[in-house]
């Protein structure tokens, strides 16, 4: 169990302070802003206020290529030339990355400014401002157990805009702040050591932050889970000294609802593999992030009110450790799930689908319009799509399309994989309704087919973030370590949600 000293550590430090983001029409003086971004297009002369021409910049190795930065002293502060590449290639994703490049170029400065363009470059002022805000805030996010002088905490970001765009820019900034806060919260949770963020502590955090965000929060303990028949969550928890928790979150919009969406997040607070013990390697050391699905659901739902979401949303966080011990789940054991199906356990390291199955069944009972689950589920998805793109599968092409559109909008891309139903036979068991383990190939598909057994004909989509949940090095606005990929995607999905037409069965990516 976690020690009293560990209990005093804050699992969500980013929620305790945040940088001020201001919109002004005139650049403040050096005493207020210490570094200013100056965009420079490739092959073009830089703005005059940079004080250098293209020849001088080229001599310093700066040509304006996308993502290049060059820091120049000027009147007591730093001017940062930021290469934007070809003007015609600028879009919201590239602006977010460029803003992050600027923020990373001056890690010692705590007060930054970005001058927004005064002409049309293919993005609305609101979208440009939103991308800049997200890029800077997320690039400068850090999870701190202890303070470090190497990276100073960002105090203020100033966006300088022509007066006629001020109202739109303010709207874009506020939207960017909401999404950045959600991603920062998700990152805090996914990067927090497992000895600090137990299932019990996750429930406490959900109550604290969810209540402040206007959510109804219900933390379900072990005894009630037994009464509810949640055999998957209870079975995975058998080897742990930490009790399991299921957290139900409920958001109701103020006005008419666009529909009712359920979100299910895998919350394995630490995954040792159980009796099927993982090897002691780097991937094992990353298993504090095996609760990223639950982290992203909680993070997204705390942002819904401020994002103006008009969709009713119910979230389920399925939280437990997966540990080996004398009482742990054993190979060959059979679990009975919430919906009555029985599962023969052939590998205790394929535990995520077991805990999620109970929540999927509960969402079906709630009679929602659609269900989306998100989980660090399979290494097969990492092998197929790498660390930049998540996999998505489901029984409703309309819902899968909504997930893809949301991912594209926030630069958290997902790619559809087939729910190939002929592989369902790989889950057959001679003694139970199914096993929790498919064959050696297409593991991401057989995992999804397992989950499909618990959604009936409800429109459903499954997002596998096993590859995208962790980055080996910083890329653009994404930081090294646990990424909380999906936090912003789920906010976007909920805000734009449309009830899928027809039933889920037979209408999705299956074959």
């Amino acid at each position: 169990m976690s020690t009293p000293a560990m209990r005093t550590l804050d699992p969500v430090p980013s929620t305790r302070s945040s940088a001020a983001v201001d919109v002004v029409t005139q650049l403040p003086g050096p005493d207020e802003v210490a570094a200013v971004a100056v965009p420079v297009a490739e092959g073009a002369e830089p703005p005059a206020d940079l004080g250098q021409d293209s020849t001088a910049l080229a001599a310093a190795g700066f040509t304006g290529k996308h993502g290049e930065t060059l820091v120049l002293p000027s009147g007591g502060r730093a001017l940062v030339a930021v290469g934007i590449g070809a003007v015609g290639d600028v879009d919201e994703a590239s602006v977010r990355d460029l803003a992050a490049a600027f923020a990373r170029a001056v890690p010692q400065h705590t007060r930054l400014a970005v001058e927004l363009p005064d002409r049309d470059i293919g993005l609305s002022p609101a979208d440009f401002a939103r991308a800049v805000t997200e890029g800077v805030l997320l690039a400068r996010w850090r999870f701190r157990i202890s303070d470090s002088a190497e990276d100073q905490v960002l105090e203020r970001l100033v966006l300088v805009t022509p007066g006629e765009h001020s109202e739109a820019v303010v709207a874009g900034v506020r939207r960017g702040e909401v999404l950045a806060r959600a991603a920062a919260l998700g990152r805090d949770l996914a990067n927090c050591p497992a000895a600090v963020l137990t299932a019990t502590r996750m429930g406490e955090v959900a109550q604290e932050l969810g209540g402040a965000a206007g959510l109804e929060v219900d933390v379900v303990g072990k005894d009630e889970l037994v009464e509810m028949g949640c055999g998957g969550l209870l079975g995975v928890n058998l080897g742990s000294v930490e009790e399991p928790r299921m957290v139900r979150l409920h958001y109701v919009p103020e006005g008419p609802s666009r529909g009712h969406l359920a979100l299910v997040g895998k919350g394995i607070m630490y995954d040792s593999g159980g009796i099927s013990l993982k090897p002691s390697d780097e991937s094992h050391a990353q298993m504090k992030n095996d609760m990223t699905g639950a982290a992203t659901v909680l993070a997204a739902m705390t942002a819904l009110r401020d994002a103006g979401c008009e969709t009713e949303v119910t979230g389920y966080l399925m939280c437990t450790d997966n540990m080996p011990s004398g009482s742990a789940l054993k190979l060959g054991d059979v679990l009975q799930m919430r919906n009555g199906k029985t599962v023969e356990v052939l590998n205790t390291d394929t535990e995520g689908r077991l805990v999620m199955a109970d929540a999927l069944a509960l969402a079906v009972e709630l009679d929602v319009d659609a269900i989306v689950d998100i989980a660090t589920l399979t290494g097969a998805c990492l092998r197929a799509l790498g660390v930049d793109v998540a996999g998505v599968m489901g029984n409703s092409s309309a819902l899968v399309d909504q997930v893809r559109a949301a991912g594209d909008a926030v630069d958290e891309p997902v790619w559809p994989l087939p729910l190939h139903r002929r592989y369902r036979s790989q889950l057959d068991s001679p003694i139970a309704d199914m096993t929790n383990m498919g064959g050696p190939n297409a593991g991401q598909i057989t995992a999804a087919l397992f989950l499909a057994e618990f959604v009936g004909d409800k429109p459903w989509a499954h997002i596998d973030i096993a590859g995208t949940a962790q980055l080996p090095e910083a890329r653009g606005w994404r930081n090294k370590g646990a990424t909380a990929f999906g936090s912003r995607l789920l906010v976007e999905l909920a805000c734009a949600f449309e009830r899928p037409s027809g039933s889920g069965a037979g209408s999705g990516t299956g074959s």
Side-chain angles (χ1 to χ4, degrees), residues 4 93 139 168 175 179 181 212 228 255 258 287 293 365 373 397 443 486 505:
R175 179 73 170 190
L179 291 171
R181 283 199 303 269
M228 294 170 64
R258 301 169 65 95
M287 283 301 104
E365 294 172 26
D373 75 70
S397 57

Side-chain angles (χ1 to χ4, degrees), residues 11-50:
V12 287
S14 73
T15 65
R16 313 307 176 191
S17 63
S18 58
V21 186
D22 301 318
V23 176
V24 301
T25 57
Q26 296 292 329
L27 179 65
D31 57 330
E32 296 184 62
V33 170
V36 182
V38 180
V40 180
E42 187 173 11
E45 283 298 319
D49 56 2
L50 193 60

Side-chain angles (χ1 to χ4, degrees), residues 118-413:
D118 58 3
R119 59 191 179 91
D120 182 17
I121 61 168
L123 278 181
S124 72
D127 288 343
F128 199 102
R130 166 183 160 175
V132 167
T133 302
E134 292 180 51
V136 171
L137 295 183
L138 291 175
R140 290 294 289 268
W141 168 91
R142 297 292 183 274
F143 180 76
R144 284 180 169 82
I145 291 293
S146 63
D147 292 332
S148 170
E150 294 181 2
D151 291 308
Q152 298 297 315
V153 176
L154 184 66
E155 297 174 0
R156 187 186 186 200
L157 170 63
V158 175
L159 278 71
V160 186
T161 181
E164 64 268 25
H165 295 158
S166 292
E167 186 175 348
V169 168
V170 168
V173 163
R174 300 306 167 229
R175 179 73 170 190
E177 286 184 291
V178 168
L179 291 171
R181 283 199 303 269
L185 170 57
R187 288 178 179 181
D188 279 0
L189 293 167
N191 280 280
C192 188
V196 176
L197 189 61
T198 63
T200 299
R201 188 75 179 97
M202 186 73 162
E204 294 168 353
V205 170
Q207 287 177 316
E208 175 193 351
L209 300 182
L215 304 177
E216 298 173 17
V217 183
D218 182 18
V219 179
V220 181
K222 184 175 181 179
D223 291 343
E224 188 176 350
L225 289 167
V226 172
E227 294 176 6
M228 294 170 64
C230 291
L233 182 57
L234 291 164
V236 175
N237 180 251
L238 284 172
S240 178
V241 296
E242 296 284 351
E243 287 197 355
R245 292 291 186 268
M246 179 177 74
V247 182
R248 283 189 296 234
L249 309 165
H250 189 209
Y251 168 79
V252 180
E254 290 186 1
S257 174
R258 301 169 65 95
H260 192 175
L261 173 67
L263 301 176
V264 173
K266 173 187 171 184
I268 303 299
M269 312 309 292
Y270 186 80
D271 184 17
S272 71
I275 294 297
S276 304
L277 193 66
K278 293 180 183 290
S280 184
D281 58 14
E282 184 179 2
S283 65
H284 193 161
Q286 295 172 357
M287 283 301 104
K288 65 181 182 180
N289 81 6
D290 209 23
M291 41 66 68
T292 297
T296 62
V297 171
L298 174 57
M301 292 198 65
T302 61
L304 296 181
R305 182 184 62 188
D306 289 345
C309 180
E310 298 176 349
T311 303
E312 182 180 359
V313 184
T314 300
Y316 296 89
L317 319 180
M318 307 301 285
C319 302
T320 179
D321 291 323
N322 182 28
M323 300 293 287
S325 74
S327 61
L329 188 66
K330 295 174 282 294
L331 276 65
D333 283 352
V334 174
L335 302 176
Q336 186 170 43
M337 318 303 279
R338 166 69 184 183
N339 69 349
K341 287 184 180 290
T342 54
V343 178
E344 182 184 10
V345 176
L346 299 185
N347 188 327
T348 62
D349 196 25
T350 51
E351 82 299 329
R353 64 199 69 182
L354 298 175
V355 305
M356 294 169 68
D358 288 330
L360 294 173
L362 287 166
V364 170
E365 294 172 26
L366 196 59
D367 198 25
V368 296
D369 294 308
I371 304 169
V372 174
D373 75 70
I374 184 166
T376 47
L377 207 60
T378 68
C381 201
L382 166 62
R383 297 291 177 266
L385 298 175
V387 298
D388 288 340
V389 183
V392 62
M393 288 156 275
N395 63 11
S396 165
S397 57
L399 184 58
V400 167
D401 287 346
Q402 289 188 52
V403 172
R404 293 187 69 188
D408 290 343
V410 300
D411 197 20
E412 291 185 336

